[in-house]
Amino acid sequence: MQASLPAGSSVFELPYTFFPESPQRGGSYLLIEPYLRTHGLRWSFGTMRGRPGDVWYERASRLTGQEFADALATAGFAAAYVDGRAYDDGGAAIMASLRALFGGPIIEDASTHRALFRVPPARPRARPLVVASTDRGWHTQGAASATLTWSTGSARLAIANPTDASQRVHVTFRLASRSPRKVDIAYAKRVLSGVALTAAAPSDISIAFPAAPGITWLDLDTDVPAQPSGDGDPRRLGFGLSDLSVTVE
């Protein structure tokens, strides 16, 4: 693999496996082997679970067909590596889909069900995959509502743009609160929107802005501290978030 790709190439690994200690068939560190046995290549496995890069990796792995190819190509991946030992069918299904998408593998080891596929350059006007995820300032478990992620006060969302250029994105989500409060939404210290929340009904948020390359943040600042939930949850809750999504314009 090292001899077949230019130095510095990025390789997308399948199946998606979070790090550390994923309950993965074949072992939670199966996909670290290529990293240990090569030099000068970059591998997708190993990003800390829940971090923006890991969220992007997981979302990309769920795509299929041309959407998957576009996501990898626009993010700069030169190849896709499959380890069939982590699949119940030995990787037969995913190998077949990648053959149909990318053609025959650059390298294949049938005895261990592993293969490396070259990712072609991005199509003209192909849209990259940009994702948003909760970052600092959120409760991670046991929220008062199973459908909402609750903040601990002011909080922020991470925007993962894997390209080397700014992308005009449209971010939508829903905010709710158990008490009246104002939430200002800012990107790069510039307030894009302000919303007055009440206990009566959630508010739908829709904002557009140019997301810079890499990991950047939307800051959600509230003027009211987190309050006790009042329903047996011992933690203090700020505002609730749901239905977070991003599209590239």
Side-chain angles (χ1 to χ4, degrees), residues 61-214:
S61 72
R62 287 197 268 125
L63 298 176
T64 59
Q66 195 59 53
E67 283 189 323
F68 176 71
D70 287 344
L72 267 56
T74 54
F77 285 95
Y81 168 80
V82 182
D83 194 325
R85 295 173 295 179
Y87 292 88
D88 291 339
D89 65 351
I94 186 65
M95 296 277 194
S97 67
L98 292 183
R99 285 177 188 274
L101 191 61
F102 297 139
I106 306 170
I107 303 172
E108 183 174 16
D109 184 347
S111 65
T112 58
H113 306 287
R114 290 180 292 173
L116 183 74
F117 295 83
R118 193 179 304 279
V119 175
R123 299 179 302 159
R125 296 182 296 278
R127 292 186 178 183
L129 174 66
V130 177
V131 304
S133 61
T134 54
D135 195 69
R136 295 181 182 174
W138 303 93
H139 291 294
T140 56
Q141 294 180 348
S145 169
T147 61
L148 296 175
T149 299
W150 288 89
S151 77
T152 60
S154 292
R156 70 183 191 181
L157 302 174
I159 308 297
N161 170 13
T163 74
D164 57 5
S166 292
Q167 301 292 331
R168 181 77 178 175
V169 298
H170 183 204
V171 180
T172 60
F173 51 92
R174 177 170 287 187
L175 291 180
S177 179
R178 297 187 170 212
S179 60
R181 68 176 62 246
K182 182 181 179 183
V183 178
D184 287 328
I185 304 165
Y187 182 77
K189 298 183 179 181
R190 181 170 67 92
V191 176
L192 303 179
S193 180
V195 57
L197 298 178
T198 68
S203 294
D204 292 320
I205 311 299
S206 177
I207 52 177
F209 58 93

Side-chain angles (χ1 to χ4, degrees), residues 4-11 40-43 76-79 118:
S4 300
L5 297 171
S9 292
S10 296
V11 184
L41 299 179
R42 304 171 66 189
W43 302 88
F77 285 95
R118 193 179 304 279

